[in-house]
Amino acid sequence: MIEIENVRKSFGQLEVLKGINLTVEKGEVLTIIGGSGSGKSTLLTCINGLETIDSGRIVVDGTDVHAKGTDLNKLRRKLGIVFQQFNAFPHLTVLENVMLAPVKVLGQSKAEAEAMAVKQLTHVGLGDKLKVYPSRMSGGQQQRMAIARALAMSPAYMLFDEVTSALDPQLVGEVLDTLRMLASEGMTMICVTHEMKFAREVSDRVAFFHKGVMAEIAPPEALFGAPKDADLKTFLAATH
Amino acid sequence: MFDTALTLADLGFLAKGAAMTLAVTAVSVLAGTVLGVLFGVIRNQVGPYWSMPLTFLLDIFRSVPLLIQLVLGNAMQSIMKLGWAPFTTSCVVLSLYTAAYCTEIVRGGISSVPATTRRAARSLGMTWWQDMRYIVAPLATRVSLPAWIGLTLGVMKDSALVLWLGLIELLRASQILVTRLQEPLFILLICGAIYFIISFPIARLGGYLERRWSND
Ligand SMILES: Nc1ncnc2c1ncn2[C@@H]1O[C@H](COP(=O)(O)OP(=O)(O)O)[C@@H](O)[C@H]1O
Ligand SMILES: [Mg+2]
């Protein structure tokens, strides 16, 4: 369970998160929508401790992320995250990309890590790209590799930050399909996305962020069918 | 072929000079690179403000002519009664000189690794050290290699200046022979050829590594 309690965060003068309260249960798929600059990415990076918070609390399975004694490297093993940019390690093959952290961080044997990597890469449809270098792959393939790389750590939660935003339109589908597959397998996920149709399909709940505030949160039928927040209405009208 | 007073023993003398050039260069490039990596990482880690003293110091080594550094270094070790041999003094000064340039190369290499790539590594639970070791080091090395090869070749040629401390390296050995045999063109030709023979493999190694890494 991820518990976010009254989290505030500023960059200099700019308050980016203005008291966020949110709980994500095990097995839940939460999508976050909202305009650019509304604080969505910042929230995700606060959850895995890449960013600090100014006040409030984020607790993952009982561990306070921003408490002094917290071993963030250990915590991050259970929080997979995939970003908008393709973050392949360009000097490693696809297989090596996926094996690196399990071997170095989890201390798995090469054989163990390779078996897991092959399994995850096959799962995301890259079973035939093991020896290829990332630069030889399309953006969609690189994003699927990044997903497999995160999954190889056997995380309890997956965070996705606009993973299709940097893709050519014809490549968006294959990555969304991978996310749908994970959702259907029961993975606990927080997906920041601009794909409204996708959000409507996979989400248990959808949260709308506006200027650092979580203005509305509801199951997709309610949020898209009968939005209450005025800014959400404007936002939805603008997207379609 | 043509007449020359150059004997086999003289060639051996040149070879010994070349060995000295190689020794001074190898020690200085090795030590300078280790220091350069260390300083480069520190500069990257602490940011421009806190690394100002270090940057200033290294700027001195980069801007004062090497000859002056060697002479001052030698004077300093003598004033401080360190009792260093000319070889030691030469290597210390050349190492710091190399380190000053190498620091810039390393800093550039490290900052060429995208922050987002490093963030992805840390997100997988890698420690700072693991990120440095498995992601930053290989990527930065690829970017820095051409400049580092250039630095190494430059230091090898600059190392001729240690003759001012009395070391008989390749150029000094050639000078001695020129004075004795009065065949400057022929001997300097040989001297230049030896410099080339030493440099060529280093330059080729760089080319080879660049090609090997170009597939990714
Ligand atoms: N590291 C940072 N330093 C300063 N400002 C930042 C930083 N990261 C994000 N911001 C600012 O915080 C605001 C929210 O950013 P972000 O969380 O990325 O929004 P979103 O993902 O919803 O588009 C933006 O105005 C952005 O410019
Ligand atoms: Mg964002």
Side-chain angles (χ1 to χ4, degrees):
Chain A
M1 189 162 72
I2 300 176
E3 297 157 282
I4 299 165
E5 292 169 19
N6 205 20
V7 165
R8 289 178 177 273
K9 165 82 186 170
S10 301
F11 288 114
Q13 301 282 43
L14 180 72
E15 191 169 36
V16 178
L17 297 176
K18 301 173 181 165
I20 304 294
N21 286 288
L22 177 64
T23 300
V24 181
E25 299 287 348
K26 204 93 204 149
E28 184 177 10
V29 177
L30 174 81
T31 53
I32 301 179
I33 61 173
S36 169
S38 57
K40 308 180 298 293
S41 298
T42 304
L43 182 69
L44 290 195
T45 48
C46 287
I47 292 175
N48 85 347
L50 283 171
E51 284 287 356
T52 56
I53 59 176
D54 298 335
S55 66
R57 229 157 63 104
I58 299 180
V59 180
V60 176
D61 291 344
T63 305
D64 185 339
V65 178
H66 300 91
K68 275 218 165 48
T70 301
D71 182 348
L72 285 176
N73 297 320
K74 199 167 167 201
L75 178 84
R76 285 176 190 148
R77 296 175 193 176
K78 65 162 72 172
L79 290 164
I81 185 163
V82 182
F83 299 97
Q84 177 176 348
Q85 306 87 352
F86 319 140
N87 288 315
F89 305 139
H91 59 302
L92 302 177
T93 62
V94 168
L95 184 64
E96 290 165 342
N97 258 273
V98 180
M99 284 173 61
L100 182 66
V103 170
K104 301 303 176 189
V105 176
L106 299 180
Q108 291 181 3
S109 70
K110 281 255 161 71
E112 210 180 339
E114 182 168 343
M116 177 58 134
V118 170
K119 179 181 148 199
Q120 295 300 350
L121 284 165
T122 308
H123 201 43
V124 300
L126 293 175
D128 57 341
K129 300 280 183 208
L130 303 179
K131 303 285 179 206
V132 171
Y133 282 93
S135 60
R136 302 284 164 84
M137 299 202 301
S138 72
Q141 290 170 328
Q142 291 195 43
Q143 280 303 52
R144 285 187 280 143
M145 186 204 75
I147 294 171
R149 193 170 66 184
L151 290 174
M153 298 294 285
S154 307
Y157 306 93
M158 284 293 293
L159 314 178
F160 295 97
D161 189 4
E162 296 192 30
V163 290
T164 59
S165 293
L167 294 176
D168 294 336
Q170 74 272 20
L171 300 177
V172 168
E174 62 187 68
V175 175
L176 289 185
D177 284 343
T178 305
L179 298 190
R180 280 192 194 94
M181 178 179 76
L182 288 180
S184 71
E185 289 165 0
M187 174 59 81
T188 311
M189 298 165 44
I190 303 181
C191 308
V192 173
T193 186
H194 287 305
E195 302 289 335
M196 295 305 148
K197 187 165 161 288
F198 167 78
R200 200 188 276 261
E201 281 168 29
V202 302
S203 313
D204 296 306
R205 285 186 301 164
V206 181
F208 170 66
F209 274 52
H210 185 70
K211 294 186 175 160
V213 174
M214 191 171 73
E216 190 160 339
I217 181 163
E221 315 79 53
L223 188 125
F224 290 111
K228 297 188 192 70
D229 183 74
D231 295 312
L232 174 57
K233 285 178 191 163
T234 315
F235 178 77
L236 290 177
T239 47
H240 274 301
Chain B
M1 207 163 58
F2 55 77
D3 266 351
T4 174
L6 194 78
T7 63
L8 221 55
D10 293 334
L11 276 180
F13 183 62
L14 279 182
K16 264 167 96 180
M20 177 59 84
T21 292
L22 266 179
V24 172
T25 305
V27 171
S28 306
V29 167
L30 207 72
T33 302
V34 171
L35 283 176
V37 169
L38 188 70
F39 294 157
V41 170
I42 290 175
R43 280 195 53 179
N44 237 289
Q45 224 29 52
V46 306
Y49 182 79
W50 290 106
S51 55
M52 232 144 52
L54 180 63
T55 307
F56 180 70
L57 193 73
L58 295 176
D59 278 347
I60 293 178
F61 281 101
R62 288 200 303 158
S63 45
V64 175
L66 182 57
L67 177 58
I68 297 178
Q69 291 186 37
L70 280 166
V71 173
L72 288 182
N74 194 36
M76 226 140 54
Q77 71 84 23
S78 135
I79 290 167
M80 290 162 76
K81 298 203 186 340
L82 295 175
W84 286 352
F87 180 78
T88 311
T89 312
S90 302
C91 287
V92 168
V93 172
L94 258 177
S95 296
L96 291 172
Y97 174 78
T98 310
Y101 282 97
C102 194
T103 301
E104 286 306 309
I105 296 174
V106 169
R107 201 179 56 81
I110 294 177
S111 42
S112 77
V113 181
T116 53
T117 307
R118 301 189 58 179
R119 196 176 58 165
R122 298 304 303 272
S123 296
L124 288 165
M126 286 192 222
T127 60
W128 177 85
W129 173 248
Q130 288 170 330
D131 168 41
M132 277 312 227
R133 166 81 181 72
Y134 301 111
I135 308 300
V136 178
L139 293 176
T141 304
R142 283 157 167 71
V143 170
S144 308
L145 186 77
W148 184 86
I149 296 277
L151 176 62
T152 301
L153 296 178
V155 167
M156 196 190 67
K157 282 173 273 185
D158 293 347
S159 75
L161 289 170
V162 304
L163 65 84
W164 286 89
L165 299 192
L167 283 188
I168 302 181
E169 46 64 68
L170 182 52
L171 190 63
R172 180 74 188 121
S174 312
Q175 275 183 350
I176 292 172
L177 288 183
V178 167
T179 311
R180 187 155 59 76
L181 304 175
Q182 295 298 320
E183 293 178 36
L185 287 185
F186 182 54
I187 291 170
L188 288 180
L189 205 67
I190 294 177
C191 172
I194 297 176
Y195 271 116
F196 176 77
I197 290 167
I198 302 175
S199 306
F200 188 69
I202 303 175
R204 290 321 308 146
L205 175 72
Y208 166 75
L209 288 176
E210 268 177 68
R211 252 177 296 116
R212 226 190 84 170
W213 291 336
S214 68
N215 61 332
D216 44 66

